[in-house]
Amino acid sequence: MDEELRSLTERVRREAGGAAGCERLVATESPDALAAVLTEPGQPLWARELAAFRLGLAGDRRAFESLVLLLNHRDPPRCASAAYALARLGDPRTARAAAALATNELRVAYALHPVRLLVALRAPEAVPALITTLQRRLSPHDPYRRVALACVEGLGALGDARARTVLNEALAHPTLAKAAVRALARIPRQR
């Protein structure tokens, strides 16, 4: 069993509190049964999460909307599992959705996992979204340093020269300076 699936299954079992439906969802091999959980009214969040995650790992695009909603959830483990499944789903809408979530200032507290997903996808939307998000985090006393740090590290991993300006600006921030130096070192020099 995939380590992420095992971890999610353990967490969901605790949340479900022994509900019989949980073990059925864990055991089923039917994509249609999993997809039905995503559309049936009254399903608990743990059931929707497990069904969407399993469908995402299987490459079933019926999971896309549910996984995007979970990517923007207030609970970090849900965001992390959604990002993991979305990275494996193979849906062409994923990068655009992750970029929209990463750059949404009203939801910036939940932008960490969309930022990391963009880096993992290495999609064309990644660098512009990370630059935008990081620029906004460079204001004095911004409380979202983890998001800023993820952007700095992600821009370094992507190695795109367009990030050079914002990474140079990040050097002035003590909590980001070391990561910005490392990120700048990964960007090829222009000739």
Side-chain angles (χ1 to χ4, degrees):
M1 177 184 281
D2 179 283
E3 180 60 28
E4 292 295 324
L5 177 57
R6 186 194 60 74
S7 177
L8 172 70
T9 302
E10 288 175 9
R11 180 171 51 81
V12 165
R13 281 181 172 136
R14 287 190 301 274
E15 285 181 38
C22 181
E23 292 309 315
R24 279 195 305 275
L25 281 177
V26 169
T28 189
E29 295 299 324
S30 168
D32 291 337
L34 292 169
V37 171
L38 301 179
T39 58
E40 290 172 359
Q43 289 293 328
L45 182 58
W46 60 261
R48 293 182 191 283
E49 180 183 11
L50 180 58
F53 186 88
R54 292 196 56 212
L55 287 169
L57 291 186
D60 189 320
R61 292 186 180 170
R62 293 178 287 184
F64 176 76
E65 288 84 4
S66 295
L67 289 172
V68 169
L69 289 172
L70 290 164
L71 180 63
N72 196 33
H73 197 273
R74 69 182 176 274
D75 185 15
R78 291 196 200 290
C79 299
S81 68
Y84 183 84
L86 281 165
R88 284 143 188 83
L89 179 60
D91 192 302
R93 300 171 292 175
T94 300
R96 188 177 32 202
L101 293 174
T103 57
N104 182 345
E105 277 299 292
L106 298 176
R107 302 290 291 173
V108 69
Y110 311 109
L112 181 64
H113 292 286
V115 164
R116 290 179 176 164
L117 176 58
L118 283 167
V119 176
L121 294 173
R122 302 184 79 81
E125 296 88 346
V127 172
L130 268 61
I131 289 172
T132 298
T133 303
L134 179 56
Q135 284 172 331
R136 293 173 180 167
R137 305 286 60 85
L138 295 179
S139 63
H141 311 294
D142 183 84
Y144 305 108
R145 285 294 171 218
R146 290 185 64 209
V147 173
L149 183 59
C151 289
V152 169
E153 292 170 346
L155 289 168
L158 294 170
D160 191 301
R162 294 175 291 174
R164 193 175 299 285
T165 301
V166 74
L167 290 172
N168 279 318
E169 292 172 22
L171 292 171
H173 297 266
T175 58
L176 302 174
K178 286 183 182 178
V181 167
R182 287 191 300 271
L184 284 163
R186 296 179 77 179
I187 296 174
R189 293 273 174 216
Q190 295 174 339
R191 295 178 187 205

